[in-house]
Each structure stands twice: as structure tokens, then as C-alpha cells.
């Protein structure tokens, strides 16, 4: 009886974890298309920065595909989570006052302070993600799943290259790498996710699964 409960607890934990990650990875690479547009427009002469953002986008897509394959091997789809489980979603909403989808790319391109702010938000989000992966790789439940361990080790290897380009650009431009408000916003979003949103998702067994993969339309277009 105890072993069954323990096994069910671990399976639910990993299911919630992987579902949140697959949402965030998909949200990450699709959102980076617009970031790349802004970077190409504002930093057209900085080919190294553009290449680093392109790699960031490609890595996020790669990570999404790894989690997708994880679920395909399980024969199921992830839990249906929304932007309330997305760190970058909530960060953008707090700092810019709108959703990612409503963020005005043209305004970010023409207004230097908005572009710098976007770089800081991405940098802080990726730094948070790097710290979280380090914690997960020490988690006993995660370590019980060899496939997830392999996935998170790849993410751990990739993460530094995801925040360093934005940090490097800000430093090169002699700009702030983070404001007090941005750091506090990052902290409180993380705490609210860890202490409220994810536990509530864990206990809500009525949460449905996705009806289709997040990239279904991309596959059709391809």
C-alpha cells in the first residue's frame, strides 16, 4: 500500500514537472522569434549577438522536443497548463503590463529603454532557470527517472549560453544588468510558482491533458 502511494506521488510529481517545463520551453522558443526580430533590427551590426540569440532559440526548441519525446514514450500528452505556470509570461506581465502576445515588438525596437528592459527580463529568467535545474538534478524523485536526468543534464549544459549574451550586451553598452524591482519581481514570481501554483496543480487531479501538441500548427505549416 505504502509503495503504491509513493509510486503514485512520484509519478504525479514528475508529470507536473515535465508538463510545466514543456509549456515553458515551447513558450520560450516561440517568443524568441520576436526577440530575434528586435535584436536584428537594433543590433544589425552585431552578428555575434544575433548568432547567440539564434542559438538560444534553437536550444529552447531542442529542449521542447526532448520533453515531447519523453511524453511520446509514455504514450500520453502533458497536462494542460497555461501562462500562470510560465515564469517569463508572468515576468513580462509584471514589467511591461501586458502579455507576451500583446508586447509591442515595434515599440521595443524603437525605444532603447524597452529593449534593454527586455534583455534584463530574459537574462534574469534564464539565470533562474539555471539555478532551478541545478536543484532538480539533486532531487531524489527526478533522479529516479533516467530519461529526465538526461534531459536536465542537457539543459544544464545549455543554460549559461542563454543568459550570458544578454548580460554581455548590457555590460558592453554600459547599461544596468538588473534593477532592484526586476530582481524582486523575479524572486516573487519564483516563490509564488513554487509555493502556490505548482502545489495546487499537483493536487488538482481534475486538470485535463492537452488535446494536441503545442507545436501542432507548426508541424502542419512545415
Amino acid at each position: 500500500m505504502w509503495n503504491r502511494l509513493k509510486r503514485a506521488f512520484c509519478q504525479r510529481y514528475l508529470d507536473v514537472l515535465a508538463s510545466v517545463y514543456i509549456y515553458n520551453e515551447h513558450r520560450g522558443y516561440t517568443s524568441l522569434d520576436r526577440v530575434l526580430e528586435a535584436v536584428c533590427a537594433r543590433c544589425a551590426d552585431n552578428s555575434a549577438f544575433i548568432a547567440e540569440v539564434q542559438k538560444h532559440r534553437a536550444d529552447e526548441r531542442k529542449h521542447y522536443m526532448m520533453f515531447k519525446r519523453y511524453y511520446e514514450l509514455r504514450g500520453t500528452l502533458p497536462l494542460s497548463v497555461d501562462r500562470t505556470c510560465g515564469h517569463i509570461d508572468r515576468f513580462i506581465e509584471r514589467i511591461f503590463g501586458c502579455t507576451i502576445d500583446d508586447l509591442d515588438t515595434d515599440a521595443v525596437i524603437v525605444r532603447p529603454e524597452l529593449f534593454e528592459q527586455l534583455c534584463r527580463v530574459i537574462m534574469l529568467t534564464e539565470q533562474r532557470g539555471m539555478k532551478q535545474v541545478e536543484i532538480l538534478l539533486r532531487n531524489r524523485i527526478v533522479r529516479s527517472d533516467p530519461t529526465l536526468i538526461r534531459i536536465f543534464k542537457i539543459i544544464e549544459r545549455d543554460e549559461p549560453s542563454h543568459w550570458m549574451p544578454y548580460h554581455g550586451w548590457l555590460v558592453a553598452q554600459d547599461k544596468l544588468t538588473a534593477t532592484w524591482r526586476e530582481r524582486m519581481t523575479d524572486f516573487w514570481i519564483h516563490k509564488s510558482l513554487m509555493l502556490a501554483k505548482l502545489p495546487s496543480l499537483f493536487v488538482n487531479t481534475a486538470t485535463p491533458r492537452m488535446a494536441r501538441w503545442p507545436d501542432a500548427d507548426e508541424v502542419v505549416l512545415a
Side-chain angles (χ1 to χ4, degrees), residues 31-44 50 53-54 103-106 108-109 115 118:
S31 299
L32 280 168
D33 286 335
R34 295 167 67 194
V35 174
L36 186 58
E37 179 185 347
V39 170
C40 288
R42 285 203 60 86
C43 310
I50 293 171
V53 177
Q54 289 173 329
L103 187 62
D104 189 341
T105 307
D106 290 335
V108 171
I109 290 171
F115 183 76
L118 182 60

Side-chain angles (χ1 to χ4, degrees), residues 130-218:
M130 183 174 67
K131 294 173 186 174
Q132 193 59 38
V133 168
E134 292 171 356
I135 293 170
L136 288 171
L137 283 171
R138 298 193 298 268
N139 183 292
R140 284 190 298 175
I141 299 177
V142 174
R143 293 187 67 82
S144 70
D145 189 316
T147 302
L148 278 182
I149 282 292
R150 286 195 295 271
I151 291 173
F152 283 124
K153 283 186 176 180
I154 291 172
I155 295 175
E156 180 188 39
R157 182 194 67 200
D158 292 340
E159 282 297 342
S161 68
H162 294 175
W163 64 264
M164 292 175 67
Y166 308 96
H167 180 272
W169 183 85
L170 289 164
V171 170
Q173 304 302 312
D174 198 26
K175 303 297 182 182
L176 283 174
T177 55
T179 66
W180 179 87
R181 179 191 174 217
E182 290 161 353
R183 290 196 181 279
M184 289 304 298
T185 299
D186 168 63
F187 174 81
W188 286 112
I189 290 173
H190 175 68
K191 288 302 180 183
S192 66
L193 285 171
M194 294 297 104
L195 301 179
K197 183 59 185 179
L198 299 189
S200 68
L201 180 62
F202 178 89
V203 300
N204 184 12
T205 55
T207 302
R209 293 193 177 275
M210 293 179 179
R212 61 206 294 263
W213 292 108
D215 66 338
D217 292 335
E218 300 164 37

